[in-house]
Amino acid sequence: THGYGHGSGPGIGYDCSGVVSRVLGIDARLASQFMSWGAPGKGKHVTIYASPTHVLMEINGHLFGTSSADNPGGGAGWIKAGAVNLSGFTVRHPKGM
């Protein structure tokens, strides 16, 4: 892969899957790969919401990821509660978290 979206070089920012991978401290992967990553269901502190085209995470009750509505300039940040419809997302969590 060429690294686009995974912050791997000057001027290359993070896309949704890149930022979630980075925060988790794991090798970069695609949003769809998070649909089977980790363990099923909500985690105690961290929950991953993944679809074939988008991924975001909940950290201690606060949504974090990329959102054009909450961060129209691009990049990652905190997302307002209720700003994203999470129905249809696969719910996973890091084992032990």
Side-chain angles (χ1 to χ4, degrees), residues 3-7 12-35 37 47-59 63-69 71 74-77 79 84 86 89:
Y4 178 78
H6 298 292
I12 298 175
Y14 290 100
D15 62 6
C16 63
S17 58
V19 75
V20 170
S21 298
R22 183 70 173 179
V23 170
L24 292 171
I26 60 175
D27 290 338
R29 59 202 63 218
L30 300 172
S32 60
Q33 293 174 308
F34 280 102
M35 295 176 73
W37 180 84
T47 301
I48 306 299
Y49 296 93
S51 77
T53 59
H54 194 52
V55 63
L56 60 148
M57 61 195 309
E58 182 180 325
I59 304 169
L63 286 178
F64 183 81
T66 60
S67 166
S68 58
N71 194 359
I79 301 169
V84 178
L86 297 173
F89 280 74

Side-chain angles (χ1 to χ4, degrees), residues 64-95:
F64 183 81
T66 60
S67 166
S68 58
D70 285 329
N71 194 359
W78 297 107
I79 301 169
K80 293 180 199 128
V84 178
N85 180 354
L86 297 173
S87 66
F89 280 74
T90 299
V91 181
R92 310 285 295 182
H93 69 276
K95 293 177 182 173

